[in-house]
Amino acid sequence: MTGTTTAADYAWLDEQYENLMQAYCITLIRGLTPEELLRELAAEPGPRITGVDGLCEPSYDDRGAYRLFVGATSVGDWSLMVEFNGYLGVTNEAMIPLSRGRTVVSHFLNVNAVDHFCWYEDGELRLHFEPLFAYYREGTHPDELLEEMRESGFDLIEHDEDDERDYEGLTGASFALAHRITGIRLTPELFASAEFTCGIAPVPHG
């Protein structure tokens, strides 16, 4: 593990990217350029867009069922894929094949407070959990990152259904855990200046 941020380090997301935080999917893929990633996903070519904010409007255009607008940019030897109101990055049928020979880390939240965190490695789902219920984990290595999960800000203790929990903090914890796994820290400067190669990708489903 190479990153050391916590949920508190990502408070800027709610302040500066409120629209994205309402429904998002963030994915980091090692070993593919944005262009290669879009080809792997069989995406139709789209525009080049500067900054995360510019991805919002085209993401909500009518594209029909099982088609999602995605934007990808290079961050070191990783590609960052951002989806407004999307879920391709946590779709096993898409990410398990993509992860063969690679690492893929993704997290997702929708307007109904459904959330997922996924770590794929070399064609297998090593870890999956819902941030709101981080005490229940699945995958081939479900308990490998317990210390990192706690340090990022996840509560690993099961609570009564009536207990109130800090949902916004959990979103930040997802960004922190992704940083710890990948070593890629997402910053306001990156979100504002990144050049995204965009496309419309089909969503495979079983």
Side-chain angles (χ1 to χ4, degrees):
M1 301 297 103
T2 55
T4 57
T5 55
T6 67
D9 292 299
Y10 297 92
W12 57 269
L13 287 160
D14 289 313
E15 298 165 1
Q16 300 180 35
Y17 292 93
E18 182 180 0
N19 287 342
L20 179 65
M21 291 299 96
Q22 290 176 359
Y24 79 87
C25 188
I26 298 288
T27 307
L28 285 159
I29 306 100
R30 184 168 59 187
L32 285 177
T33 67
E35 293 76 13
E36 290 169 340
L37 171 60
L38 292 178
R39 284 198 297 271
E40 289 274 346
L41 295 174
E44 298 175 8
R48 291 184 65 85
I49 293 174
T50 301
V52 166
D53 278 338
L55 303 175
C56 182
E57 185 175 346
S59 297
Y60 287 91
D61 290 343
D62 183 17
R63 298 173 303 278
Y66 299 111
R67 287 161 53 83
L68 293 170
F69 184 87
V70 302
T73 190
S74 292
V75 186
D77 60 350
W78 296 73
S79 278
L80 165 68
M81 185 171 76
V82 178
E83 302 173 69
F84 277 80
N85 198 37
Y87 54 91
L88 186 62
V90 292
T91 300
N92 287 342
E93 290 83 358
M95 293 299 113
I96 287 177
L98 187 69
S99 74
R100 292 188 181 116
R102 307 183 185 101
T103 300
V104 177
V105 177
S106 56
H107 48 102
F108 155 93
L109 170 70
N110 73 10
V111 294
N112 297 316
V114 176
D115 55 2
H116 297 283
F117 188 101
C118 298
W119 172 25
Y120 304 92
E121 190 85 37
D122 199 16
E124 67 179 24
L125 179 58
R126 293 177 69 91
L127 172 66
H128 166 257
F129 65 94
E130 298 178 37
L132 196 58
F133 307 103
Y135 59 84
Y136 179 75
R137 297 169 299 280
E138 303 172 296
T140 60
H141 296 69
D143 296 333
E144 184 172 337
L145 300 180
L146 294 182
E147 180 179 356
E148 290 82 0
M149 290 176 68
R150 290 191 192 97
E151 291 176 353
S152 295
F154 291 108
D155 186 352
L156 303 183
I157 300 173
E158 185 172 0
H159 293 269
D160 293 335
E161 291 183 2
D162 294 335
D163 287 352
E164 291 188 6
R165 279 163 283 177
D166 181 4
Y167 193 81
E168 291 185 359
L170 295 180
T171 300
S174 292
F175 279 83
L177 183 58
H179 176 209
R180 288 169 183 266
I181 297 171
T182 66
I184 300 299
R185 180 172 181 173
L186 303 182
T187 65
E189 295 77 17
L190 174 65
F191 267 37
S193 64
E195 295 283 342
F196 288 93
T197 301
C198 301
I200 299 173
V203 182
H205 50 94

